[in-house]
C-alpha cells in the first residue's frame, strides 16, 4: 500500500541519501560547476584565487590553436579506429564463447583479464611487445619478411600501436556484456528457425543481430564515451608523453598539458567543456538512431 509522502518521511529519505549526495556534490557537481566558471577566467590569480577578468578569450584561443585541432583529429582517429573494431571483435568472440566449446569458462576468464588488469601493467607489457629490436610483434612480422617497425618511436605508427592496445584492453568488458545479451535470447527462436531450414548466417543476420541490438546500442555508447576520454593508455604506453612528436596527443591529453604542465586553467576548462559538448552531441545522435533501429 502506497503512502503519501510527508515532511517527516521526506526528511528521513534525505537523511539516508545524505552521504551519497554529499560525495556526489563535492566530487562531481562542484568540479563541474567550478570548471565551467573557470573556462571564462581570462585573468586569474591562482595563488590568491582572485579573478580579475572574465570573457571568451579561452575559447577563442582554443579555436585558433593548431595543437588543439591536431589533438581533436587524433581523438577522432582513435574513436573511429577503436569503436567499430572493438564491437565487431567482441561480438565475434562472445558468439564463440556462447557456443558449446571445451574450456569455455577458462576462455571467458582469459578474455576478461585485460579489463581488470591495471592500465600501467598492460602498457608495460605492450611496450615490450612493441619493442623494435626484441618485441613480439616485430618477431612475428619478421616471419613474413616484414622489416622491424618502430611502433613507439615513429610518429606514423604511434596511433596504430595505441589503437591496437586499446582494442585489446577493452575487449573483456564488451565480451561480457555481449555474452549476457546472447544468453537472454530465447533458444526456441533458433530451434524454430532451424526447423524452417534457416542457415547459420541467416539466423545470425535476421535473429541474433536484431535481438542483440539493445546490447550493441549500450556497448557502442559506452565505447564512444570511453574512447573520447582516452588518456591513461597514452600516458602509460609512451612513458608520460603523448607519443613521438605529439603524434598520439588526444583532446584529454591536451587538457592535461594545459592544466598541469602549463597552468592554463581557463584554457583547460574551456577545452574540457568542448569535449563535453562533443560527447553530448554524439550521445544524442546515438539515442536518436537507437529509437529507430533498436528492437526492444
Amino acid at each position: 500500500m502506497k503512502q503519501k509522502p510527508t515532511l517527516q518521511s521526506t526528511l528521513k529519505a534525505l537523511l539516508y541519501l545524505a552521504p551519497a549526495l554529499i560525495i556526489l556534490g563535492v566530487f562531481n557537481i562542484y568540479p563541474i560547476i567550478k570548471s565551467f566558471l573557470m573556462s571564462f577566467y581570462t585573468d586569474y590569480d591562482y595563488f590568491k584565487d582572485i579573478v580579475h577578468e572574465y570573457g571568451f578569450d579561452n575559447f577563442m584561443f582554443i579555436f585558433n590553436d593548431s595543437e588543439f585541432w591536431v589533438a581533436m583529429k587524433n581523438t577522432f582517429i582513435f574513436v573511429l579506429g577503436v569503436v567499430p573494431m572493438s564491437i565487431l571483435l567482441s561480438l565475434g568472440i562472445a558468439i564463440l564463447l556462447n557456443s558449446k566449446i571445451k574450456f569455455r569458462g577458462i576462455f571467458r576468464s582469459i578474455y576478461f583479464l585485460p579489463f581488470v588488469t591495471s592500465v600501467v601493467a598492460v602498457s608495460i607489457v605492450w611496450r615490450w611487445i612493441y619493442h623494435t629490436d626484441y618485441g613480439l610483434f616485430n618477431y612475428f612480422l619478421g616471419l613474413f619478411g616484414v622489416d622491424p617497425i618502430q611502433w613507439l618511436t615513429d610518429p606514423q605508427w604511434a596511433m596504430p600501436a595505441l589503437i591496437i592496445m586499446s582494442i585489446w584492453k577493452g575487449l573483456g568488458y564488451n565480451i561480457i556484456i555481449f555474452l549476457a545479451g546472447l544468453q537472454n535470447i530465447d533458444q526456441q527462436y533458433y530451434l524454430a528457425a532451424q526447423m524452417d531450414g534457416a542457415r547459420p548466417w541467416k539466423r545470425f543476420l535476421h535473429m541474433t543481430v536484431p535481438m542483440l541490438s539493445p546490447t550493441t546500442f549500450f556497448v557502442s555508447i559506452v565505447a564512444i564515451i570511453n574512447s573520447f576520454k582516452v588518456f591513461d593508455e597514452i600516458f602509460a604506453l609512451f612513458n608520460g608523453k603523448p607519443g613521438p612528436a605529439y603524434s598520439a596527443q588526444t583532446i584529454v591529453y591536451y587538457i592535461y598539458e594545459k592544466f598541469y604542465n602549463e597552468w592554463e586553467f581557463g584554457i583547460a576548462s574551456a577545452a574540457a567543456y568542448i569535449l563535453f559538448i562533443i560527447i553530448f552531441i554524439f550521445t544524442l545522435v546515438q539515442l536518436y538512431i537507437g529509437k529507430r533501429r533498436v528492437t526492444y
Side-chain angles (χ1 to χ4, degrees):
M1 181 178 176
K2 291 185 177 178
Q3 295 180 344
K4 288 185 177 179
T6 61
L7 179 61
Q8 186 180 5
S9 64
T10 304
L11 289 174
K12 191 176 179 181
L14 287 174
L15 187 64
Y16 283 122
L17 292 171
L21 291 175
I22 291 171
I23 293 172
L24 280 173
V26 172
F27 295 103
N28 290 79
I29 307 298
Y30 174 73
I32 290 172
I33 296 172
K34 184 67 177 177
S35 62
F36 177 72
L37 295 174
M38 287 181 71
S39 66
F40 297 101
Y41 291 0
T42 55
D43 189 359
Y44 176 51
D45 188 336
Y46 171 76
F47 296 102
K48 297 180 181 177
D49 193 22
I50 299 173
V51 183
H52 298 288
E53 191 176 348
Y54 292 90
F56 292 92
D57 290 2
N58 295 323
F59 292 95
M60 296 302 294
F61 174 86
I62 288 173
F63 291 132
N64 290 301
D65 186 8
S66 59
E67 188 183 340
F68 171 78
W69 290 112
V70 171
M72 190 63 77
K73 185 189 76 174
N74 288 338
T75 304
F76 275 92
I77 291 173
F78 180 83
V79 173
L80 291 173
V82 169
V83 175
M85 188 57 69
S86 177
I87 291 174
L88 288 174
L89 283 175
S90 304
L91 178 59
I93 295 170
I95 290 171
L96 288 175
L97 293 178
N98 197 46
S99 61
K100 295 176 181 177
I101 59 172
K102 288 183 179 179
F103 310 115
R104 186 169 56 176
I106 296 174
F107 284 124
R108 287 179 180 178
S109 302
I110 290 173
Y111 278 109
F112 194 65
L113 275 177
F115 180 70
V116 296
T117 307
S118 160
V119 175
V120 176
V122 167
S123 300
I124 290 172
V125 173
W126 277 86
R127 274 157 59 183
W128 168 73
I129 293 173
Y130 283 137
H131 197 279
T132 306
D133 297 326
Y134 50 85
L136 201 61
F137 253 32
N138 282 341
Y139 171 76
F140 282 113
L141 291 174
L143 297 177
F144 299 96
V146 179
D147 293 332
I149 295 173
Q150 297 179 339
W151 293 97
L152 302 180
T153 54
D154 186 346
Q156 185 181 353
W157 289 101
M159 184 55 76
L162 177 65
I163 289 172
I164 292 170
M165 190 196 77
S166 300
I167 290 173
W168 180 85
K169 178 76 174 65
L171 278 181
Y173 175 79
N174 293 344
I175 289 170
I176 291 297
I177 301 296
F178 274 126
L179 268 175
L182 287 168
Q183 289 172 3
N184 281 330
I185 298 175
D186 193 341
Q187 294 301 310
Q188 296 296 327
Y189 294 126
Y190 291 107
L191 293 174
Q194 277 182 297
M195 291 177 66
D196 290 339
R199 294 186 176 277
W201 174 247
K202 292 284 186 183
R203 294 201 296 270
F204 170 77
L205 201 61
H206 298 291
M207 297 177 65
T208 305
V209 171
M211 285 190 281
L212 210 58
S213 57
T215 308
T216 309
F217 178 62
F218 171 77
V219 169
S220 66
I221 285 183
V222 173
I224 285 180
I225 292 174
N226 288 337
S227 297
F228 269 114
K229 297 191 300 179
V230 62
F231 173 79
D232 296 350
E233 290 83 351
I234 302 169
F235 192 89
L237 184 63
F238 297 105
N239 202 20
K241 297 177 182 176
Y246 285 71
S247 55
Q249 186 182 39
T250 57
I251 185 65
V252 175
Y253 209 102
Y254 176 86
I255 295 168
Y256 169 80
E257 288 271 338
K258 293 296 179 190
F259 197 96
Y260 288 102
N261 293 340
E262 301 179 17
W263 288 27
E264 296 285 357
F265 308 115
I267 294 172
S269 299
Y273 265 88
I274 291 173
L275 175 64
F276 166 76
I277 291 169
I278 292 171
I279 294 175
F280 184 67
I281 291 171
F282 266 85
T283 306
L284 286 181
V285 171
Q286 284 181 291
L287 290 173
Y288 177 79
I289 296 171
K291 282 184 181 178
R292 283 152 179 78
R293 297 291 181 185
V294 175
T295 307
Y296 292 99

